[in-house]
Amino acid sequence: MKPLIAIYTLTSELHDEQAVSAMTKDFLDGLKQAAASQESAPLEFDFKGDDYADYGCHALDLIYVRTGGTEGIFRRLLPTLQLKSDRPFYLLTSGKSNSLAASMEILSYLRQHDLKGEIIHGAPAYIARRIALLEKVGEAKRWLKGCRLGIIGEPSDWLISSHADKDKVRELLGVELVDIPMQELLDAIAATPLGEMHEDAPTRAIRQALPGALQIYDALKGIVKRHDLQGLTLRCFDLLSAVHNTGCLALAKLNAEGIVAGCEGDIPAMLSMKIAQTLLGVSGFQANPANINPETGEVVFAHCTIPFNMVEHYEFDTHFESGIGVGIRGYMKEGPVTIFKVSGDLSRCFIQEGELVRNEAKPDLCRTQQVIQLSDPTQTAYFLNNPIGNHHIILPGHHQLMLASIINHLQT
């Protein structure tokens, strides 16, 4: 298996190689020492020198501009590099031997030709942190490429803005959106035996609904396998009339098993959940704001399902709007959270950190209810003036920098 981070070099023939090699050793030794002290997994580097044969084959490829006078070398090399990779060019510089000046000229040339790039420059600890972040983003993009996400049924009729540009999603994420007729799920449910769940339920009606809710879960698992899906979104309200039950339990279980599963056929919400899961390794709670205090920055989010692996404990209830089937009231650990959403064409996103201050169980809302205090109360204006649909994804922990990095990677 190849190391995840490759370092290639640009060096002017005018500079003394012995002196440049000594400078390079000092720089890379300092970088490796800083990388070893990172809280995350240690970084592994593969020093390639000026051999670019396998450029583009790693999670992250760095071009170490060792000296000035390398601008022309890069321009001649550029067509070959473009054939190997369409990712941004990351220019690593020590700041010695005019390497920063050359990197700035190269980056300016890239921008003039509408190409993406960044200069990575600063103290060793900063460079190590930046490389670690970019490596994680690069690895996430590699995992997303070729990912298949199912749309079972169409987006619910009321989700008039929650569709997606399939071509853009394929181009920018490498993700394939797969349309699956609702009838296929209904046929699968009819052919699936009723499930068994040995858990307490608060009412006889919910106890009677649990086998059917597990039947929906088993049917969805079969569709996931049949279509080789890594995630899905479900036009779940159709199940209320078709089988007199809900998908809430099935989605809670699928998400906990690592299969992203969203509600109401909301494609941007599903994409947001999959990006976050791939980048951060966490499940997301798809919910909509139910109440906003613009003065304090407190927002109540609610929905009738939440991944089982996100909560400390949960209870069964009925589905809120219909009063039938099985809904999930989950209680997530209080503390730091991030609210995240991308648009269906990936041109916009919302990322805001906050604190989950309490879970609630009011009877007049969807069953899982979270009261979140935004770190920046002025961000409530986004929800009231320019939202990306109604559903948003709640993630445990503060991840604004990481999420912003992958979105910037897609958009710049």
Side-chain angles (χ1 to χ4, degrees), residues 104-365:
M104 292 172 65
E105 189 71 16
I106 291 170
L107 183 58
S108 177
Y109 179 81
L110 289 171
R111 294 295 189 188
Q112 287 174 355
H113 291 79
D114 297 322
L115 297 173
K116 306 172 185 178
E118 176 186 336
I119 296 171
I120 304 175
H121 173 73
Y126 166 79
I127 292 176
R129 288 194 302 272
R130 184 61 183 158
I131 288 175
L133 182 63
L134 292 172
E135 181 269 328
K136 198 164 187 178
V137 168
E139 189 66 2
K141 282 206 70 179
R142 282 174 21 132
W143 279 105
L144 284 169
K145 190 171 184 179
C147 175
R148 290 168 56 84
L149 301 178
I151 307 164
I152 302 179
E154 298 177 348
S156 294
D157 294 342
W158 49 88
L159 295 184
I160 58 176
S161 74
S162 298
H163 296 252
D165 184 329
K166 292 184 179 180
D167 292 336
K168 274 292 181 185
V169 170
R170 187 185 303 110
E171 174 192 347
L172 297 178
L173 283 181
V175 168
E176 191 74 25
L177 296 176
V178 182
D179 290 311
I180 300 169
M182 191 68 187
Q183 189 60 48
E184 182 173 336
L185 174 60
L186 297 179
D187 292 343
I189 293 171
T192 302
L194 289 172
E196 292 185 14
M197 191 162 192
H198 305 288
E199 288 194 44
D200 291 333
T203 68
R204 181 171 178 270
I206 295 174
R207 283 194 298 274
Q208 290 178 333
L210 278 171
L214 284 171
Q215 184 184 38
I216 295 169
Y217 161 74
D218 289 334
L220 283 171
K221 285 274 283 190
I223 286 179
V224 166
K225 184 176 180 180
R226 188 178 312 127
H227 290 276
D228 189 25
L229 303 178
Q230 288 75 53
L232 59 90
T233 183
L234 170 64
R235 187 180 168 97
C236 47
F237 273 73
D238 283 16
L239 296 175
L240 298 175
S241 57
V243 297
H244 205 63
N245 213 319
T246 64
C248 303
L249 176 62
L251 302 185
K253 286 175 66 65
L254 288 170
N255 275 303
E257 295 168 4
I259 301 167
V260 163
C263 312
E264 301 177 39
D266 190 325
I267 305 171
M270 173 181 63
L271 292 173
S272 303
M273 294 169 75
K274 187 59 185 176
I275 291 170
Q277 183 208 52
T278 306
L279 183 64
L280 306 171
V282 300
S283 295
F285 169 40
Q286 176 184 332
N288 52 269
N291 193 285
I292 297 173
N293 188 325
E295 296 177 312
T296 66
E298 190 174 89
V299 184
V300 179
F301 288 89
H303 234 219
C304 279
T305 186
I306 185 170
F308 284 142
N309 62 336
M310 290 186 69
V311 299
E312 295 184 305
H313 61 97
Y314 63 89
E315 304 162 352
F316 292 134
D317 202 335
T318 56
H319 179 251
F320 167 60
E321 286 91 345
S322 65
I324 66 172
V326 181
I328 310 297
R329 179 179 293 110
Y331 297 85
M332 200 166 110
K333 183 179 180 180
E334 296 174 2
V337 295
T338 304
I339 304 163
F340 178 52
K341 183 70 177 293
V342 296
S343 62
D345 62 359
L346 303 173
S347 65
R348 292 183 59 209
C349 74
F350 176 77
I351 310 169
Q352 177 62 40
E353 295 176 344
E355 297 288 320
L356 172 58
V357 295
R358 65 185 179 276
N359 298 273
E360 294 185 336
K362 295 180 178 180
D364 59 345
L365 282 178

Side-chain angles (χ1 to χ4, degrees), residues 24-62:
T24 298
K25 184 178 185 305
D26 289 344
F27 176 66
L28 294 181
D29 286 347
L31 182 57
K32 290 175 183 177
Q33 184 176 356
S37 65
Q38 295 289 304
E39 293 181 3
S40 56
L43 304 177
E44 294 186 26
F45 298 102
D46 188 5
F47 187 75
K48 298 289 187 177
D50 59 2
D51 181 4
Y52 286 79
D54 62 354
Y55 182 86
C57 296
H58 308 81
L60 181 62
D61 295 295
L62 302 173

